[in-house]
Amino acid sequence: MSDLPRKAVTRTAKLAALPIGFAGRATWGIGRRIGGKSAEIVGRELQQRTADQLFKVLGELKGGAMKFGQALSVFESALPEDIAGPYRAALTKLQEAAPPMPTRTVHAVLGERLGEQWRDLFVEFEDKPSAAASIGQVHRAVWHDGREVAVKVQYPGAGEALLSDLGQLSRFARLLGPLVPGMDIKPLIAELRDRVSEELDYALEAQAQQAHADEFDDDADVVVPHVVHQSEQVLVTEWIDGTPLAEIIDNGSEDERDRAGQLLARFLFSGPARTGLLHADPHPGNFRLLPDEKGGWRLGVLDFGTVDRLPGGLPEPIGVSLRRTLDGEAEAIYELLCEEGFVKESIDLEPGAVLDYLLPIIEPARVDAFTFTRSWMRNQAARIADPRSPAHQLGKQLNLPPSYLLIHRVTLSTIGVLCQLGATVRLRDELEAWVPGFAAEDAARDEEWPAAEA
């Protein structure tokens, strides 16, 4: 199936097949074990079949189903290794590919949005898409002025499909939750729903992308393509070549992995400081590693459909709380978390226990250089997911204020990608350079910060 299924009943039936399929394969697995196959072999076969179905259904549906799959894929580092393997390949596919929209549909959208003579705008236009994502696909072309461009065409009915899919997926959240231990799937789906209208609006995306392109123009580390043309359901931007980050994850050298990780962290923290916007869709399909003129690499950044608007950059309490945690100031960090709404007034926690909960999470900021690994991510997930763990019990009592929700998800997602890369990153350098309140020179002014804010 290559067209976007728009009838709610069709999409609902496909999504409903996911949990039904999970249950059916479990029954199949029991039968295989009775037939003499070992539990280990049957388990691997079961996981592979589940991963195959997950990609098939989410990839075909595109829309919110694929958007959920992409968001989920960056967290595969948190899965135990014996489970992660079968899912890794299937989820990675969602980062780079999906069944394409028929050529006739692409031409119809271009004719409607760019005019019947739309071909006159291009010297060349490749009908075969170069990439397909959750709400649109990209075609390589040559603009009438000779520039190579990427033409992003939105799937007809994408908005309806997004809302329908995410509504259905929220009903299955409990069944899908075990895919990433320690992560509550339902808020992730709810937050994705909240961003639907923005992502469908290519005018907003064009504004956000051009703001980044202007700011990072001629930057030594980051490349953002300029916007060439925008109309409803069609966005034309400059084309950039480069190696997709998914390929670096699979086959990159140690130097490439480390450089990609450093630049990813730099973009995460410098973007809000320089543009007042946070790129909020950090899955590997949106990044490229480009060679520079000096024999090194730059990071190419794509897809600005989802951004968080942070006029003053990242909130200063983030930097202050990170530094106070690193300095072991239990009482001060607890007071700050209460002021910012991370601890509700009705909750009373022991500051030392809160500090113990936070320190392992911010371990990458404690050292000059930290190597992100899947095992570190799995240990963090297991510590928080285990109901017997003090960290699990304390974590359940913490609150995530709405203003921090997207920042939290983007940070976790970026860390997930760094762990997939296995990159060694000087994270502390980026925090000191770009996050208000973290740098050592902020310490004197910060001593009076809570009182001043109050």
Side-chain angles (χ1 to χ4, degrees), residues 324 330-340 450-451:
R324 287 184 171 179
E331 295 288 346
I333 185 62
Y334 182 65
E335 180 182 351
L336 181 55
L337 291 178
C338 290
E339 290 175 357
E340 291 299 305

Side-chain angles (χ1 to χ4, degrees), residues 51 56 83 96 117 126 129 151 169 177 189 201 209 228 241 274 280 295 302-303 315 319-320 333 395 413 432 445:
K56 183 175 184 294
I83 296 175
E96 285 292 335
Q117 306 304 315
E126 294 183 8
V151 184
L169 283 167
I189 296 173
D201 189 335
Q209 180 159 340
V228 175
D241 284 307
R274 295 174 63 174
L302 309 173
D303 198 340
V320 174
I333 185 62
S413 297
E432 289 180 345
R445 175 178 56 81

